[in-house]
Amino acid sequence: MATIEECRAALEKLSDNMQTAEGDVRTAAALDRSVSCRITDLDITFVGRMTGGRIVVHDTFQGPPREKAQIRLTMKGDDLVAMVNGELNFAKAWGSGRVRLEAGLRDLFQLRKLL
């Protein structure tokens, strides 16, 4: 089971990857939205903001998100780490229910370019 530190590092790596993206991916990464990433097996939620082509984590809370972010991810820690490392395909994980992504319709259309 991935640790809190490994999950935070995976989010940092995802943020770094977004920062160096080009084309449509860079456009999608340029969204300015509140973000939460709920790690179910650790019972924690990372809360932050997607801005300037990065994900900036502001806080980590025990339990579910306290407020509804504009973009919400829910998954196990191992799945987050595997996705960021390229070992787990987001579309397959989403389709099988291992990963949940919730956002407004316009944001979902933009995010599909990222994922």
Side-chain angles (χ1 to χ4, degrees), residues 15 17-20 26 29-31 50-55:
S15 182
N17 292 345
M18 288 170 51
Q19 185 73 38
T20 60
R26 183 144 182 90
L31 291 171
M50 179 187 291
T51 185
R54 296 192 58 81
I55 297 173

Side-chain angles (χ1 to χ4, degrees), residues 8 45-48 56-61:
R8 183 178 287 278
T45 302
F46 294 99
V47 178
V56 179
V57 175
H58 296 296
D59 278 309
T60 305
F61 297 109

Side-chain angles (χ1 to χ4, degrees), residues 30-36 48-51 54 69-71 106-107 110-111:
L31 291 171
D32 185 8
R33 301 287 188 270
S34 59
V35 177
S36 68
R49 187 144 200 100
M50 179 187 291
T51 185
R54 296 192 58 81
Q70 292 167 302
I71 299 172
R106 260 189 272 165
D107 289 342
Q110 285 295 322
L111 290 170

Side-chain angles (χ1 to χ4, degrees), residues 5-22:
E5 293 78 19
E6 289 170 325
C7 291
R8 183 178 287 278
L11 287 173
E12 281 293 318
K13 183 176 179 180
L14 175 60
S15 182
D16 291 344
N17 292 345
M18 288 170 51
Q19 185 73 38
T20 60
E22 297 179 2

